[in-house]
Amino acid sequence: MTTTSLAHRATAVAARASDLSKVYGLGETQVVALDRVSVDFRQGEFTAIMGPSGSGKSTLMHCVAGLDSFSSGSVQLGETELSTLKDKQLTQLRRDKIGFIFQAFNLLPTLTALENITLPMDIAGRKPDKQWLDQVISMIGLADRLGHRPTQLSGGQQQRVAVARALASQPEIIFGDEPTGNLDSRSGAEVLGFLRNSVRELGQTVVMVTHDPAAASYADRVIFLADGRIVDEMLHPSADGVLDRMKAFDAKGRTS
């Protein structure tokens, strides 16, 4: 790969929000969940989104991922403007271009781990790239559990299957909404390690909403929201650094 292409990859944008606003209700009951937010999520980067409850962090992720509509502004996934898409096109975009990992594992209990991993591609009528699939399965360390159903797996193993499912279709970007929220600290660390490795080893792009400073420390950068706006950003975060930043926001909120 040339120096020019490396530089391009480092600055290429997987998803972009521009002046993004999301408003619920009218008049006195109006709630501004997002207030003219502009942010880029760069390719091959792991970004964590943090903020106090009600800050708009999940709303931002859902709007950028095409899971929720927005009131004004724009969202681009690659070169595609989401606001121009009809429902069917948006569904296809989510299926073909985006991977999702949620706090609930969302595995089908009647399917094996491998069948759960390949399910989105099966629905789309696409065959998985065997070499890529083998690489993903090797990375998450579940090669000996592929024939087991979810009830035969621990919570951490189930979430690893969900991570593999998100990675298997080689999406342009993966969104995680509190993906370790239902896991103990050890299992959560394993899953976060897999996500970080998917960025470093596979060139994946990951955007994760979390309230946990330890989880955020696995990311390349953290963006902080408060009252529907981005108020800060931290590169190469540490758990202690993120915790201190969150405490500062809490203190400011109490005194304002």
Side-chain angles (χ1 to χ4, degrees), residues 26-27 48 106 178 187 197 215:
L26 297 169
N106 292 342
E178 300 279 7
S187 297
N197 287 342

Side-chain angles (χ1 to χ4, degrees), residues 11-214:
T11 57
V13 175
R16 168 176 288 152
S18 302
D19 291 322
L20 189 67
S21 293
K22 174 70 175 181
V23 180
Y24 296 98
L26 297 169
E28 293 182 358
T29 62
Q30 187 179 86
V31 175
V32 179
L34 292 176
D35 188 5
R36 301 187 301 277
V37 171
S38 295
V39 62
D40 288 351
F41 298 106
R42 292 179 288 273
Q43 289 181 5
E45 188 172 76
F46 188 170
T47 302
I49 304 174
M50 298 195 75
S53 179
S55 63
K57 56 186 184 294
S58 290
T59 303
L60 174 61
M61 193 197 78
H62 290 164
C63 288
V64 175
L67 293 171
D68 197 0
S69 61
F70 45 93
S71 304
S72 62
S74 69
V75 172
Q76 284 183 292
L77 188 73
E79 300 298 321
T80 303
E81 169 57 50
L82 265 57
S83 63
T84 66
L85 301 181
K86 298 179 180 178
D87 287 346
K88 186 175 180 180
Q89 294 172 311
L90 195 56
T91 298
Q92 185 174 351
L93 179 95
R94 289 195 299 261
R95 185 188 68 196
D96 296 341
K97 304 289 187 181
I98 301 174
F100 296 102
I101 309 167
F102 298 104
Q103 184 171 337
F105 312 134
N106 292 342
L107 303 180
L108 291 184
T110 57
L111 300 183
T112 65
L114 180 59
E115 289 168 340
N116 269 289
I117 290 170
T118 61
L119 180 62
M121 289 177 287
D122 294 337
I123 293 172
R126 293 164 48 201
K127 289 187 176 181
D129 180 318
K130 188 177 185 306
Q131 183 177 354
W132 175 265
L133 184 61
D134 288 346
Q135 189 174 0
V136 168
I137 289 170
S138 174
M139 188 188 75
I140 65 165
L142 286 180
D144 61 340
R145 308 289 284 178
L146 295 179
H148 291 67
R149 288 183 168 80
T151 55
Q152 299 171 303
L153 302 173
S154 68
Q157 290 170 333
Q158 290 184 58
Q159 192 63 303
R160 281 193 262 170
V161 171
V163 171
R165 179 180 58 193
L167 287 165
S169 61
Q170 296 178 270
E172 293 185 8
I173 189 168
I174 288 176
F175 292 97
D177 194 355
E178 300 279 7
T180 59
N182 282 337
L183 302 178
D184 59 52
S185 57
R186 180 178 176 179
S187 297
E190 289 179 354
V191 168
L192 291 163
F194 296 134
L195 287 174
R196 183 171 60 188
N197 287 342
S198 77
V199 173
R200 295 181 178 177
E201 299 175 16
L202 307 179
Q204 188 60 63
T205 305
V206 176
V207 177
M208 174 184 71
V209 167
T210 183
H211 68 278
D212 181 1

